[in-house]
Amino acid sequence: MISFVGAGPGDVDLITIKGRKLLEEADLVIYAGSLVSKEHLKFCKKGCQIYNSASMTLEEVVEKMEMGVSKGLKVVRLHTGDPTIYGAIREQMDLLDEKKIDYEVIPGVSSFTAACCSIKKEFTLPEVSQTVILTRIEGRTRVPKEEDLERLAVHKASMALFLSVREIGTVVEKLIKGYERDDVPIAVVYKATWEDEKIILGTLKDIEEKVKKEGITKTAQILVGDFIEGKYERSKLYDPSFSHEYRSGIE
Ligand code: SAH
């Protein structure tokens, strides 16, 4: 069996119990070396074969998996955060489907929620935004033009940007155009939940300068929106005058 496992954002204790158990039982682990903490590998049993996918092609990864399965080994493919977000797992799963090799996918804590926890905020505030947009700026991977950052910013939803901090200048420029103001709060969280985590808070006006000063060019979440700072409405869920299914008649 092959298990795609989300390792979580960094802190090794942020993997799921299911993920940790699979790691402990694995005979072969292929981990995404650039972002998965090596600490996770300490939970692997003696004799477990470990490969770093950073230096492998898609075909090499799938070949290793195929080899493992043919020997009856328990294979774990360890991805950073949650495997379903910028994890490049679909292409692996499609190749496995072609080869009629079975697999499962175990979720993980994504860096976008971890980063929001680090700044101790909530993405979805009443009367501010009830939507979270997960996106990225175009890099080597293209972004459909309908999803250009400027167009998305027009919605004024809470946003989490992956893979974009290197282009912080372009990010800010597009966000200002979309929002039509430059005082929108923004947070850059570098290596959320790692020991060397850094949090930079600012607005669209000053964040580029602050980020450049800190020399942050990778492994950061950019969180944007009025959920970071400013007024909001209390939630109806805990409002004493609002009764619902679980609390009707309490007050
Ligand atoms: N599947 C991962 C994302 C992989 S793409 C997830 O769910 O988090 C890699 C990008 O994720 C990085 O460029 C960065 O934007 C973000 N990222 C991953 N780990 C991070 C962390 N600990 N702190 C901040 N951003 C992180």
Side-chain angles (χ1 to χ4, degrees), residues 9-10 35 80-83 85-87 109-112 161-164 189-194 219-221:
L35 277 176
T80 174
D82 184 277
I85 303 172
Y86 304 113
V109 175
S110 176
S111 58
F112 84 93
L161 275 70
F162 293 71
L163 299 156
S164 302
V189 184
Y190 170 73
K191 292 186 89 175
T193 81
W194 290 71
T219 328
Q221 274 286 339

Side-chain angles (χ1 to χ4, degrees), residues 5-236:
V5 173
D11 179 338
V12 276
D13 286 342
L14 289 176
I15 193 170
T16 62
I17 293 172
K18 196 161 188 165
R20 173 67 59 74
K21 279 188 180 154
L22 285 163
L23 256 190
E24 285 168 348
E25 291 164 5
D27 303 299
L28 194 162
V29 172
I30 307 169
Y31 73 106
S34 53
L35 277 176
V36 170
S37 167
K38 308 250 179 317
E39 290 276 303
H40 283 293
L41 306 175
K42 292 191 178 148
F43 295 90
C44 297
K45 64 186 182 196
K46 246 193 166 162
C48 174
Q49 300 177 46
I50 295 172
Y51 299 94
N52 181 350
S53 62
S55 56
M56 296 161 81
T57 62
L58 167 64
E59 283 69 23
E60 285 167 344
V61 167
V62 173
E63 246 167 56
K64 276 275 179 283
M65 290 174 169
E66 196 176 9
M67 183 272 290
V69 167
S70 71
K71 290 184 178 163
L73 304 180
K74 289 182 182 153
V75 177
V76 165
R77 174 70 170 113
L78 196 58
H79 279 273
T80 174
D82 184 277
T84 66
I85 303 172
Y86 304 113
I89 61 164
R90 175 64 191 274
E91 56 193 27
Q92 300 174 58
M93 296 189 294
D94 282 353
L95 282 182
L96 293 173
D97 285 344
E98 270 175 32
K99 294 172 190 289
K100 308 226 172 341
I101 297 173
D102 203 14
Y103 53 82
E104 61 178 355
V105 187
I106 313 297
V109 175
S110 176
S111 58
F112 84 93
T113 49
C116 196
C117 291
S118 290
I119 64 165
K120 300 183 182 136
K121 299 293 175 187
E122 179 180 351
F123 280 122
T124 48
L125 294 177
E127 305 298 329
V128 177
S129 174
Q130 292 289 291
T131 305
V132 186
I133 295 178
L134 307 183
T135 188
R136 62 167 299 171
I137 197 112
E138 186 158 302
R140 265 182 307 175
T141 305
R142 303 197 29 157
V143 173
K145 68 174 186 315
E146 296 82 0
E147 296 174 16
D148 189 85
L149 197 52
E150 185 181 332
R151 287 172 84 165
L152 294 181
V154 170
H155 295 281
K156 301 182 171 56
S158 302
M159 274 201 261
L161 275 70
F162 293 71
L163 299 156
S164 302
V165 77
R166 197 182 293 274
E167 303 297 328
I168 187 75
T170 318
V171 166
V172 165
E173 199 180 299
K174 284 177 183 277
L175 288 172
I176 291 175
K177 279 194 197 147
Y179 265 93
E180 296 180 312
R181 42 183 263 252
D182 65 4
D183 62 348
V184 184
I186 179 165
V188 170
V189 184
Y190 170 73
K191 292 186 89 175
T193 81
W194 290 71
E195 269 177 16
D196 48 348
E197 170 186 296
K198 271 186 203 165
I199 295 173
I200 299 166
L201 295 165
T203 63
L204 294 180
K205 214 185 324 205
D206 61 14
I207 198 76
E208 181 181 0
E209 195 188 323
K210 289 182 176 176
V211 164
K212 290 196 167 150
K213 205 162 153 200
E214 289 289 336
I216 295 169
T217 56
K218 58 177 187 170
T219 328
Q221 274 286 339
I222 306 175
L223 309 181
V224 195
D226 289 313
F227 72 97
I228 296 175
E229 211 52 77
K231 286 204 188 76
Y232 60 92
E233 284 293 308
R234 266 183 65 153
S235 85
K236 294 277 181 276

